[in-house]
Amino acid sequence: MSFDPAAPAAERIDFSHFLAVDIRIGTIVAAHVFPEARKPAYKLEIDFGPGLGVKRSSAQITAHYDVSTLVGRQVAAVVNFPPRQIGKFMSEVLTLGFPDENGDVVLVAPERAVPNGARLY
């Protein structure tokens, strides 16, 4: 897998493979510095609405975001990967972002508010 913006498109997949990845919108309800992480990161609690509830995520987004500005922000996340142990923290969802020109993460978010739990299609 390449993160190079000039790389060609990945191998073609069936639409069913895309549908298997459950990407939802949630609102960050809590954010904390994650000092035990190997790379600078935050611990996030994200509300995905009544169907999924609040899930936890570790996110390496410290270059562009401060914990004081994250609460209330909507973000996209993959919600159907298995939980992943990050140090002593269990990350339940993968918060999505794109690398900027320095490789620092810029969060994926809708351009206007949508209901928590809305699924990408």
Side-chain angles (χ1 to χ4, degrees), residues 54-57 78-79 81-84 89-94:
V54 175
K55 302 289 183 185
R56 298 171 1 139
S57 180
V78 176
V79 299
F81 285 156
R84 185 172 178 188
F89 182 77
M90 184 63 72
S91 188
E92 300 173 294
V93 299
L94 175 65

Side-chain angles (χ1 to χ4, degrees), residues 3-86:
F3 295 105
D4 178 359
E11 183 179 326
R12 289 185 182 215
I13 61 172
D14 288 337
F15 190 66
S16 63
H17 291 118
F18 169 73
L19 293 176
V21 180
D22 192 352
I23 300 172
R24 304 281 185 111
I25 288 296
T27 300
I28 298 172
V29 295
H32 308 282
V33 175
F34 189 0
E36 306 87 9
R38 285 193 322 255
K39 295 182 181 179
Y42 296 138
K43 296 177 185 178
L44 306 177
E45 295 178 35
I46 307 168
D47 181 2
F48 291 98
L52 297 172
V54 175
K55 302 289 183 185
R56 298 171 1 139
S57 180
S58 171
Q60 296 174 356
I61 57 173
T62 60
H64 293 298
Y65 306 95
D66 185 86
V67 289
S68 65
T69 64
L70 288 169
V71 172
R73 178 185 292 270
Q74 285 196 301
V75 294
V78 176
V79 299
N80 66 330
F81 285 156
R84 185 172 178 188
Q85 189 78 42
I86 313 278

Side-chain angles (χ1 to χ4, degrees), residues 25 27 72 74 109-116 118:
I25 288 296
T27 300
Q74 285 196 301
E111 58 99 16
R112 65 185 64 165
V114 296
N116 287 338

